[in-house]
Amino acid sequence: MCQKIIQKLTLKKILIISKYASSRSFGFESRISNIARNMIDLGNDVNIITSDSNHFASYENFKKIYNKIKCGGLKIICIKTFKYSKTASIRRVLSWIDFELKLFFINKNSLFEKPDVIIVSSLSLLTILNGIILKYKYNSKLVFEVRDIWPLTLIEEGNYSRYNPLVILLSIVEKIGYRFADLIIGTMPNLSDHVTNVLGHKNHITKCIPFGFSLKEYNSYKKTENHIFEKHKEFFNNRFIVAHVGSIGLTNGLDTFVKTIKEFNKLSSIGFVFLGDGANKVNYKFELKDCSNVLFFPKVEKSQVKFYIEKFDVLYFASLKSKVWDYGWSPNKIVDYMLAGKPIIASYSGHRSMLNEAKCGDFVESENLNQLKNKILEYSKLPANRLLKMGKNGRKWIIQNRQINKLAKDYLDLIYKM
């Protein structure tokens, strides 16, 4: 009885602010929206402020600037903002600024009740400034959730100078955010070290709530008819298949994988598959045009990915060498890979987690051709039951540790303790 009373007293009014907090009604459910939905299921009152400018989602043509809508239990305030189409463009930056200005001038009292807790989830990093203003306006606790470490990502992967005005501005905003947050949440397991480096001290509370998944949603996916594998029966016959599933972009670090495919071209027992689209796909197809050991499949709907993955023997993850990875990872891709129950090889030189914890795969050094070649050869010679066990290990671990309802409970436990 006492436990129920304590639990009731800890239920919170939570305001989540994230420019990219899409829900199912807009085409896909973002991580923070999924967590919010589970927080509501646990009895909390949650409002989300987001925008209608998101390159992954589809929105109706709103007439008003501030739009209150409900999406299957989620209470959303959608701000009409400047639109963009390219992810790397000045229009996207202008869209961030537009969102922040309209968020600053929002008629707050009529759109949501006084929150106990405000969660600001990046991107956009600038939102933390509005979060701090709201924290003091309402005397609320402030959670700063970091999904990408900015501006470090710009420096390491965008080759921006540390003295670039944008980098300097974002560095100041980042430090202010860490300074005024009551709790810092990172999707990566080692963010605490980065926060310590930025602040110059360890007097902060930084925890990890990684990316996860809904098992109910995953199990609900139904296979749609496709004949793509029937068209390539010869290719898959008696071949050990290594596949990369996901974006084929500039920052995905796939150059070493392409070189490996060339090296294995004369070895008919091993085949390679790219499943996805991206800026580098055309270049890679041209570069591998004389290789008979590789296939390129188009991008498929998220609900269909698992039905493709089941045809592959080993799944591959690539990354470039970057200081960003020193603070760990939590890629959606690895979650999907582990759910599929397949062994994983990852070209990754950062803080290690997941694969080693689950014993479902191996890391090789990023951009190291020989290590990748040797690991693929090693896996191709493993007994089928060994590969099956590795895959089962991964699926068991991810189901035990990364279901979204568990992550929402972990999140709330941290919030209740503030």
Side-chain angles (χ1 to χ4, degrees):
M1 182 71 174
C2 288
Q3 187 176 2
K4 287 183 179 179
I5 293 171
I6 292 170
Q7 185 180 12
K8 188 173 181 180
L9 289 172
T10 59
L11 299 180
K12 303 286 187 181
K13 285 186 171 65
I14 300 170
L15 177 65
I16 296 174
I17 311 173
S18 176
K19 187 177 187 299
Y20 299 104
S22 173
S23 76
R24 294 169 195 159
S25 302
F26 303 137
F28 84 103
E29 185 102 319
S30 66
R31 169 185 176 277
I32 196 66
S33 294
N34 212 333
I35 284 177
R37 198 180 293 281
N38 279 273
M39 287 178 170
I40 292 167
D41 289 343
L42 292 167
N44 298 275
D45 183 6
V46 183
N47 282 273
I48 297 177
I49 300 178
T50 187
S51 88
D52 68 342
S53 183
N54 182 336
H55 53 289
F56 289 121
S58 300
Y59 296 87
E60 62 182 275
N61 187 19
F62 293 118
K63 299 278 194 264
K64 298 187 297 182
I65 293 176
Y66 306 107
N67 304 273
K68 288 187 75 170
I69 50 182
K70 274 202 169 186
C71 298
L74 284 182
K75 293 186 289 184
I76 298 175
I77 302 158
C78 194
I79 301 177
K80 184 179 177 67
T81 46
F82 187 76
K83 303 298 184 293
Y84 67 94
S85 57
K86 294 182 180 179
T87 55
S89 66
I90 188 65
R91 291 182 67 90
R92 188 179 186 191
V93 176
L94 292 174
S95 182
W96 294 348
I97 295 170
D98 188 35
F99 176 73
E100 301 307 332
L101 288 173
K102 288 172 179 171
L103 177 60
F104 180 79
F105 289 108
I106 196 171
N107 184 3
K108 304 171 186 70
N109 292 325
S110 64
L111 292 172
F112 56 83
E113 295 182 49
K114 175 185 178 298
D116 301 307
V117 178
I118 299 164
I119 299 173
V120 170
S121 182
S122 66
L123 284 167
S124 151
L125 183 62
L126 299 175
T127 307
I128 192 60
L129 299 179
N130 270 308
I132 292 168
I133 292 169
L134 292 174
K135 167 184 174 172
Y136 288 104
K137 177 179 175 64
Y138 291 112
N139 192 27
S140 305
K141 295 294 186 180
L142 178 62
V143 180
F144 185 14
E145 180 179 273
V146 179
R147 291 180 292 139
D148 296 294
I149 305 175
W150 295 86
L152 185 63
T153 301
L154 277 178
I155 296 166
E156 292 292 319
E157 298 180 7
N159 295 317
Y160 280 64
S161 165
R162 291 184 181 274
Y163 304 104
N164 181 288
L166 177 61
V167 171
I168 292 172
L169 172 64
L170 293 178
S171 296
I172 294 169
V173 172
E174 179 190 34
K175 189 168 186 176
I176 290 171
Y178 294 155
R179 164 71 179 78
F180 286 94
D182 298 289
L183 171 66
I184 302 162
I185 295 290
T187 56
M188 60 295 295
N190 204 30
L191 180 66
S192 182
D193 284 358
H194 174 69
V195 176
T196 297
N197 291 338
V198 171
L199 293 177
H201 60 75
K202 294 183 178 180
N203 188 25
H204 56 84
I205 303 173
T206 303
K207 302 292 183 181
C208 176
I209 301 291
F211 280 91
F213 71 100
S214 165
L215 186 60
K216 181 180 178 181
E217 184 178 356
Y218 183 83
N219 288 336
S220 72
Y221 295 150
K222 303 298 181 185
K223 188 175 183 179
T224 59
E225 186 177 2
N226 74 76
H227 305 286
I228 196 164
F229 290 106
E230 292 176 19
K231 293 178 183 176
H232 299 284
K233 271 185 180 178
E234 292 293 323
F235 181 87
F236 286 91
N237 192 30
N238 295 321
R239 261 198 172 115
F240 184 83
I241 302 297
V242 181
H244 165 82
V245 180
S247 297
I248 308 171
L250 298 171
T251 60
N252 294 110
L254 289 163
D255 286 359
T256 305
F257 192 50
V258 170
K259 291 174 185 174
T260 302
I261 293 169
K262 287 181 179 178
E263 295 269 337
F264 279 120
N265 191 33
K266 293 182 180 178
L267 189 63
S268 60
S269 60
I270 300 177
F272 299 87
V273 170
F274 287 89
L275 175 64
D277 288 322
N280 272 12
K281 185 172 182 177
V282 173
N283 294 337
Y284 288 155
K285 287 181 82 169
F286 180 78
E287 196 172 340
L288 296 170
K289 66 182 187 304
D290 296 323
C291 294
S292 60
N293 63 337
V294 61
L295 284 178
F296 286 85
F297 288 166
K299 178 182 177 181
V300 298
E301 293 293 326
K302 181 175 176 61
S303 63
Q304 296 304 298
V305 169
K306 71 176 186 178
F307 302 110
Y308 283 76
I309 286 178
E310 67 187 18
K311 302 289 185 181
F312 311 137
D313 296 293
V314 168
L315 300 172
Y316 176 67
F317 176 89
S319 66
L320 296 169
K321 288 182 179 177
S322 169
K323 187 171 177 59
V324 172
W325 296 116
D326 290 353
Y327 306 109
W329 69 348
S330 179
N332 276 321
K333 188 197 306 288
I334 298 297
V335 174
D336 290 339
Y337 281 6
M338 294 175 77
L339 268 174
K342 297 290 180 178
I344 301 163
I345 296 173
S347 290
Y348 173 77
S349 296
H351 178 84
R352 296 183 175 186
S353 62
M354 299 180 74
L355 306 191
N356 49 314
E357 294 169 271
K359 297 181 173 56
C360 68
D362 281 294
F363 297 102
V364 296
E365 184 183 18
S366 292
E367 304 172 48
N368 190 313
L369 177 62
N370 287 330
Q371 282 192 21
L372 180 57
K373 280 170 50 184
N374 291 337
K375 188 58 66 175
I376 289 172
L377 273 174
E378 177 190 329
Y379 272 50
S380 71
K381 294 173 182 176
L382 289 175
N385 62 345
R386 173 78 185 281
L387 292 170
L388 183 64
K389 186 176 188 304
M390 290 172 69
K392 285 182 175 179
N393 287 346
R395 182 172 169 80
K396 180 181 178 181
W397 187 92
I398 205 75
I399 288 174
Q400 287 177 343
N401 292 281
R402 295 294 170 84
Q403 287 197 60
I404 203 75
N405 55 354
K406 177 187 182 300
L407 298 181
K409 288 176 184 175
D410 293 344
Y411 214 131
L412 288 171
D413 284 344
L414 293 172
I415 286 173
Y416 295 160
K417 290 173 184 175
M418 285 196 300

